[in-house]
Amino acid sequence: MLSVKLITPKSINVLCGPKGILSILFSILVIGANAQDNSPYSRFGIGDLTPSTSIIGRGMGSLSAGYVDFLSINFNNPASYSSFQSLIEAKSKKTSSGRAILDIGVNLDTRTLQEPFPVKRFVASNALFSYMQVGVPLKNGWGFSFGLRPISRISYNIFRSEKLFDPGTGLPIDTAITRFQGDGGTYLASMGTGFNIFRKMNPLGEEKLSFGINGGFLFGKKNYSTKRALINDTVDYYMANYQTQSTFGNPYFSAGIQYKTPLKKDIMLVVGAYGNLKQNLRANKDELRETFVEDPNFGTLRLDSVSDKRDVKGKLVYPMSFTVGFIIEKMQGPKTPGWLLGLDFMHQTWSQYRFYGQPDSVKDNWEIRGGGQLRPVSRKNYFSNVAYRAGFMVGPDYIKVGKKLMQYGLSFGLGLPIPTSRQAPNQASIINLAFEYSRRGNNNNLLRESIFRISLGFSLSDFWFIKRKYE
């Protein structure tokens, strides 16, 4: 019979693998549209910083500087894109093909706020989009990736009731009820490339130096509102609203580097670093100062506009940051388990932060992150094929209101492989889980905050443009 060779791209259904995963991923993309949180600390800076690393990294204390894996995407350090798998063996002959990767995740958060004296608690739970990233190898030692992820989130809704006193007599005169509201956040749409600067083999194994760069658009919004009502037995006061709505955005760039060298025949050392310089984001702001009344049928009705400024130009100064670290990895053998251990140090200069030239209650911060992963000897038992991860983090928060806010965290993670089918033997699909507990502040702070987070991610990959032969 005639031999026919076809070169065809894999469809998205083949890429995603097991039946039903596409619908799950679509649901993840729309999660969080109506999610509500209540973190007063998100009022400052650009808000609460969201988890900054992949779900695999979060299971190991958010390791990222030296981590590399051809079945997942380390979007923090673009130098890792150089390790995307671009060639396979087919009948002892290399053929033009590449393993494309789709990495996507979602967070399930439970946040507990606690006032120390008297003890009061507030608990809120949310499901939020974490990231979506696509990675494609261009050739051996050269990869490309693009995606979208949140950087921060603003969400709070606080009521405060207080007595107002006559400064002369010290007697109470009015009661003031104030409502503080805020929403918004920051997002990064990015694309990047990573490539090998040099790559060689020595008697112990492969040695290489890789470099990468990410570019994209950093954008977001900050909406703040303060509404106050005065209650008096004899005088009627109008309610006041102080509202600021702003948007910002500009191109954003970061870069990274990784050096990989063997320590022994089956033990590798990877040293990495990545970061960004201080960057200015263009901003537009609307400021409104008004009196209003609440109507049960029509909602908020303006009575008088004291000040209404539109499209005020300015800038947001986003600070410099860098992360350095290393990973030591023992390769898994047929009869030996594989493991890795790593440590990262992160620093951000939030003292550079400015919004329309004004500083905020933020300061320089740092984090130490450590963790590891264990892959048991592979057997027929499913759980011997699971990757087990654990880690920790410690460091002060970038927000400073009164005393320093220390942060502590512990994490545990799992990499659950999805069995492949005979119809798609080249697929490699992994469900990644990370369980994190972190605390911000203590009884010396005005408010203590603890977060329990479950992160769920899918790393889905398959070879594209494979030459198939039909007889």
Side-chain angles (χ1 to χ4, degrees), residues 68-126:
V68 60
D69 179 9
F70 69 89
L71 294 179
S72 64
I73 303 173
N74 177 5
F75 47 76
N76 298 98
N77 192 339
S80 65
Y81 304 161
S82 65
S83 295
F84 292 158
Q85 193 172 358
S86 61
L87 292 175
I88 63 169
E89 295 291 333
K91 294 185 179 181
S92 301
K93 183 179 180 181
K94 290 183 178 180
T95 62
S96 177
S97 61
R99 180 176 290 280
I101 308 168
L102 172 63
D103 224 338
I104 193 165
V106 63
N107 300 330
L108 308 174
D109 293 352
T110 298
R111 185 187 302 268
T112 302
L113 302 171
Q114 180 173 310
E115 292 184 71
F117 306 107
V119 176
K120 295 181 181 179
R121 290 190 176 186
F122 173 82
V123 179
S125 297
N126 293 292

Side-chain angles (χ1 to χ4, degrees), residues 45-46 222 316-317 349-355 358-360 362:
I46 61 171
K222 297 172 63 172
L316 183 152
V317 179
T349 57
W350 282 101
S351 59
Q352 297 176 335
Y353 173 83
R354 296 291 185 276
F355 188 62
Q358 298 298 313
D360 205 341
V362 297

Side-chain angles (χ1 to χ4, degrees), residues 15 25 29 54-56 67 69 71-75 84 100-106 129-135 145-148 430 432 456-461:
L15 174 65
L25 298 184
L29 288 175
S54 70
I55 292 174
I56 292 177
Y67 185 76
D69 179 9
L71 294 179
S72 64
I73 303 173
N74 177 5
F75 47 76
F84 292 158
I101 308 168
L102 172 63
D103 224 338
I104 193 165
V106 63
F129 168 70
S130 183
Y131 59 82
M132 184 177 69
Q133 201 80 18
V134 175
S145 182
F146 63 92
L148 174 69
I430 301 172
N432 292 299
L456 171 66
F458 297 91
S459 293
L460 311 168
S461 68

Side-chain angles (χ1 to χ4, degrees), residues 222-237:
K222 297 172 63 172
N223 297 333
Y224 299 134
S225 173
T226 301
K227 296 180 179 178
R228 169 166 283 198
L230 299 179
I231 302 174
N232 187 284
D233 293 336
T234 57
V235 180
D236 289 332
Y237 293 99

Side-chain angles (χ1 to χ4, degrees), residues 371-393:
Q373 174 180 271
L374 174 66
R375 292 184 181 272
V377 177
S378 182
R379 303 183 188 279
K380 291 184 179 180
N381 180 4
Y382 175 80
F383 288 98
S384 68
N385 295 281
V386 173
Y388 300 88
R389 306 170 182 128
F392 71 91
M393 61 74 65

Side-chain angles (χ1 to χ4, degrees), residues 24-270:
I24 296 174
L25 298 184
F26 180 78
S27 300
I28 289 173
L29 288 175
V30 298
I31 280 178
N34 298 310
Q36 293 297 318
D37 212 339
N38 197 358
S39 177
Y41 289 128
S42 70
R43 166 63 180 82
F44 306 101
I46 61 171
D48 269 337
L49 301 181
T50 59
S52 60
T53 63
S54 70
I55 292 174
I56 292 177
R58 291 178 212 169
M60 299 183 288
S62 292
L63 288 180
S64 56
Y67 185 76
V68 60
D69 179 9
F70 69 89
L71 294 179
S72 64
I73 303 173
N74 177 5
F75 47 76
N76 298 98
N77 192 339
S80 65
Y81 304 161
S82 65
S83 295
F84 292 158
Q85 193 172 358
S86 61
L87 292 175
I88 63 169
E89 295 291 333
K91 294 185 179 181
S92 301
K93 183 179 180 181
K94 290 183 178 180
T95 62
S96 177
S97 61
R99 180 176 290 280
I101 308 168
L102 172 63
D103 224 338
I104 193 165
V106 63
N107 300 330
L108 308 174
D109 293 352
T110 298
R111 185 187 302 268
T112 302
L113 302 171
Q114 180 173 310
E115 292 184 71
F117 306 107
V119 176
K120 295 181 181 179
R121 290 190 176 186
F122 173 82
V123 179
S125 297
N126 293 292
L128 301 168
F129 168 70
S130 183
Y131 59 82
M132 184 177 69
Q133 201 80 18
V134 175
V136 180
L138 302 178
K139 59 184 296 186
N140 269 338
W142 184 19
F144 172 78
S145 182
F146 63 92
L148 174 69
R149 60 188 175 97
I151 301 297
S152 68
R153 187 161 184 263
I154 300 171
S155 181
Y156 63 90
N157 187 8
I158 305 166
F159 287 89
R160 184 176 70 189
S161 178
E162 57 186 327
K163 284 284 187 181
L164 302 180
F165 297 87
D166 188 321
T169 64
L171 297 175
I173 52 175
D174 295 314
T175 297
I177 298 177
T178 309
R179 182 178 183 178
F180 304 92
Q181 288 180 292
D183 68 85
T186 309
Y187 294 84
L188 176 62
S190 66
M191 62 178 63
T193 186
F195 53 90
N196 292 334
I197 297 176
F198 77 80
R199 181 179 184 181
K200 65 180 181 180
M201 297 296 295
N202 64 40
L204 295 178
E206 183 187 55
E207 178 183 4
K208 68 175 183 178
L209 177 66
S210 304
F211 175 79
I213 186 168
N214 276 330
F217 196 74
L218 185 66
F219 64 97
K221 67 176 184 177
K222 297 172 63 172
N223 297 333
Y224 299 134
S225 173
T226 301
K227 296 180 179 178
R228 169 166 283 198
L230 299 179
I231 302 174
N232 187 284
D233 293 336
T234 57
V235 180
D236 289 332
Y237 293 99
Y238 290 133
M239 291 182 283
N241 178 32
Y242 303 85
Q243 183 174 304
T244 301
Q245 296 182 330
S246 56
T247 60
F248 52 87
N250 223 34
Y252 171 90
F253 297 95
S254 65
I257 193 167
Q258 285 184 336
Y259 174 66
K260 176 181 178 182
T261 185
L263 300 179
K264 293 184 178 180
K265 189 173 183 180
D266 59 348
I267 297 181
M268 302 296 296
L269 169 67
V270 183

Side-chain angles (χ1 to χ4, degrees), residues 236-383:
D236 289 332
Y237 293 99
Y238 290 133
M239 291 182 283
N241 178 32
Y242 303 85
Q243 183 174 304
T244 301
Q245 296 182 330
S246 56
T247 60
F248 52 87
N250 223 34
Y252 171 90
F253 297 95
S254 65
I257 193 167
Q258 285 184 336
Y259 174 66
K260 176 181 178 182
T261 185
L263 300 179
K264 293 184 178 180
K265 189 173 183 180
D266 59 348
I267 297 181
M268 302 296 296
L269 169 67
V270 183
V271 180
Y274 64 87
N276 65 272
L277 299 176
K278 180 178 72 173
Q279 301 180 48
N280 296 325
L281 311 182
R282 290 193 297 268
N284 290 280
K285 181 171 64 172
D286 295 337
E287 293 181 339
L288 175 64
R289 307 291 183 261
E290 64 177 355
T291 56
F292 70 97
V293 294
E294 293 286 357
D295 186 278
N297 297 317
F298 301 99
T300 300
L301 297 178
R302 178 189 293 186
L303 294 176
D304 185 27
S305 175
V306 179
S307 174
D308 192 352
K309 299 178 181 179
R310 300 286 178 173
D311 198 25
V312 180
K313 305 295 184 182
K315 69 178 181 179
L316 183 152
V317 179
Y318 189 78
M320 179 198 76
S321 71
F322 68 87
T323 302
V324 296
F326 69 90
I327 280 178
I328 298 175
E329 181 174 9
K330 183 183 183 300
M331 304 304 172
Q332 186 179 27
K335 297 182 179 180
T336 59
W339 52 262
L340 69 80
L341 294 171
L343 192 69
D344 278 3
F345 174 79
M346 182 277 296
H347 179 67
Q348 292 177 299
T349 57
W350 282 101
S351 59
Q352 297 176 335
Y353 173 83
R354 296 291 185 276
F355 188 62
Y356 281 78
Q358 298 298 313
D360 205 341
S361 298
V362 297
K363 65 177 186 61
D364 294 353
N365 71 319
W366 55 266
E367 276 187 14
I368 295 176
R369 307 164 176 172
Q373 174 180 271
L374 174 66
R375 292 184 181 272
V377 177
S378 182
R379 303 183 188 279
K380 291 184 179 180
N381 180 4
Y382 175 80
F383 288 98

